[in-house]
Amino acid sequence: MRVAVLGGGNGCYAAACDLAENGHDLRLWRRDATAFAPVLRDQAVTLTDAAGTRRVVLGKATLDLREAIDDAELVVIPLPATAQDGLFAALAPLLRHGQVVFLPPGTFGGFLLAREMKTAGNRARVAVAESGTLPYLARKHGEDRVTISVRATRLPTGVFPTCETGRALELIGSAFPAVEPCVDLLDGALMNAGPIIHPPLILMNAGPLEHYDAWDIHNEGTQPSIRRVTDALDRERIRLREALGYGAPHFPLADHYDDQREEWMYGKSSHEKLTASGDWRERIDLKSHRYMREDVAMGLVLYVSLAKWAGVDMPIAAGLVALASAVVGEDLRNGKRSWQALALHGHDRESLGRMLQVGLG
């Protein structure tokens, strides 16, 4: 299958290597020509995982977005939600009838891409899907090297519009066999674990993050008091899901930490593998890091504003957004992914469900 991977982040390089090794006709696009130079020159990325280290030859590394997605059956965008706006504007006019776009995860970006296509006048039948997490726990070590510590074993995934779910998941599943169907795109967006795991970890570790040159929020930074906050925050997410009519499985984050519970998205012992790798001992700038700008300012704000629309109380989530606003020195509550900013606050439950089912028209 011809697959395009768009972006130059950790998940993008991991996906490019994995899909190329698995026999797919792989195109990797990145907009930063300077950073992309080693990959453009060698048309390869060095991958390290449990099987060792080797050079993975790509089908094509390119700076040309049209070339990357031309004739691609599947377009994979494992970028942070903060990178979606500019990319979506460039991508929307280029997408063709029958293509599937996969955002793992998307922070409800699938809706924004569909809206961007409508604005661009592109009426091609394109399915957009998003999952609860990246297919990989991965970190780049240079501009042509990536390490995969863990591969996802379960990827709950929602599709927009819902009527395209069967076709889209069959195609995505041929590249990522771990996909599992969600009811719709919003169901998939509310599986996103980033807004649950990262906000407590960065805000409750603010002292050591600002004191030490590098700090592992998943190792020393994951203490019992922080885990209790994370569990309580996740219970709020699940209450929101239930209030919107989404049933189990909810993939509670507690499953990630306890192998005696249901298998989570990254399988058994994934937390131990993550901390053992040492790849998450890093410098985190609390004002600019994606855990703040994506997972709080976009993901958690989406949850809180949607909960307000749905009449669900999320005091811990709202409190974390308020605390984060004080840390960064700006009011994050009405950011780009708030229900109001998405212009969805005028919907009632029935019209929202209908839009998710049939698309934007």
Side-chain angles (χ1 to χ4, degrees):
M1 178 171 63
R2 177 167 287 184
V3 184
V5 175
L6 308 184
N10 302 310
C12 303
Y13 275 37
C17 288
D18 231 24
L19 294 170
E21 277 207 320
N22 287 330
H24 297 286
D25 184 2
L26 192 285
R27 304 289 184 265
L28 177 62
W29 171 88
R30 187 176 183 181
R31 70 188 103 197
D32 186 337
T34 301
F36 206 28
V39 179
L40 290 171
R41 181 190 64 235
D42 298 337
Q43 294 290 303
V45 172
T46 296
L47 170 65
T48 299
D49 62 9
T53 299
R54 65 269 188 199
R55 202 74 165 149
V56 179
V57 177
L58 309 176
K60 178 71 175 180
T62 179
L63 295 167
D64 186 327
L65 183 59
R66 185 184 295 273
E67 180 184 34
I69 71 163
D70 189 40
D71 295 332
E73 298 168 76
L74 177 64
V75 179
V76 184
I77 310 177
L79 283 169
T82 51
Q84 290 174 353
D85 284 353
L87 175 57
F88 285 178
L91 180 64
L94 304 179
L95 290 168
R96 298 182 179 183
H97 182 79
Q99 290 182 311
V100 174
V101 180
F102 183 40
L103 310 173
T107 318
F108 210 47
F111 167 76
L112 290 178
L113 178 56
R115 191 167 69 183
E116 195 73 54
M117 287 183 64
K118 184 175 182 180
T119 299
N122 185 349
R123 301 185 64 82
R125 194 187 77 179
V126 173
V128 187
E130 57 184 76
S131 62
T133 192
L134 276 170
Y136 313 94
L137 293 176
R139 280 291 185 268
K140 287 170 57 184
H141 296 276
E143 295 301 342
D144 61 349
R145 307 181 70 88
V146 66
T147 295
I148 298 176
S149 300
V150 178
R151 288 172 172 81
T153 59
R154 303 181 71 186
L155 281 173
T157 301
V159 177
F160 183 80
T162 310
C163 58
E164 295 284 348
T165 295
R167 177 179 75 87
L169 291 190
E170 182 178 3
L171 196 66
I172 296 168
S174 63
F176 300 97
V179 293
E180 300 181 17
C182 289
V183 173
D184 55 33
L185 189 77
L186 185 57
D187 184 11
L190 292 173
M191 292 293 189
N192 190 349
I196 304 303
I197 190 170
H198 294 135
L201 285 177
I202 61 170
L203 293 169
M204 297 179 74
N205 279 285
L209 283 173
E210 293 191 332
H211 178 74
Y212 296 107
D213 292 336
W215 182 256
D216 190 336
I217 58 174
H218 296 287
N219 195 350
E220 298 92 341
T222 301
Q223 297 298 332
S225 59
I226 298 176
R227 284 280 296 105
R228 289 193 292 273
V229 171
T230 304
D231 285 345
L233 176 62
D234 203 31
R235 286 194 291 271
E236 292 184 350
R237 177 188 68 92
I238 293 171
R239 283 201 301 273
L240 173 60
R241 287 178 48 78
E242 291 174 337
L244 292 170
Y246 298 123
H250 297 296
F251 288 85
L253 190 58
D255 293 354
H256 170 61
Y257 294 100
D258 186 351
D259 286 349
Q260 302 306 308
R261 294 171 58 100
E262 187 78 14
E263 182 180 354
W264 199 66
M265 299 184 201
Y266 289 123
K268 301 296 185 181
S269 303
S270 55
H271 181 68
E272 289 76 14
K273 293 174 184 175
L274 181 154
T275 54
S277 73
D279 279 348
W280 278 260
R281 185 169 301 281
E282 56 190 338
R283 174 69 177 167
I284 294 177
D285 185 311
L286 287 172
K287 288 190 174 183
S288 62
H289 197 276
R290 72 172 186 85
Y291 293 163
M292 180 67 79
R293 293 297 169 181
E294 179 182 28
D295 293 324
V296 179
M298 301 179 84
L300 205 55
V301 165
L302 172 65
Y303 287 178
V304 171
S305 60
L306 174 57
K308 184 177 180 180
W309 174 85
V312 177
D313 194 23
M314 294 186 73
I316 296 171
L320 288 167
V321 172
L323 183 58
S325 296
V327 169
V328 301
E330 58 188 271
D331 189 348
L332 300 176
R333 292 173 297 177
N334 297 310
K336 292 182 177 180
R337 295 298 164 93
S338 72
W339 209 237
Q340 294 77 14
L342 292 170
L344 292 169
H345 58 292
H347 279 284
D348 58 22
R349 300 283 185 93
E350 183 179 355
S351 65
L352 176 65
R354 186 165 54 251
M355 183 270 288
L356 292 170
Q357 171 68 30
V358 303
L360 297 179

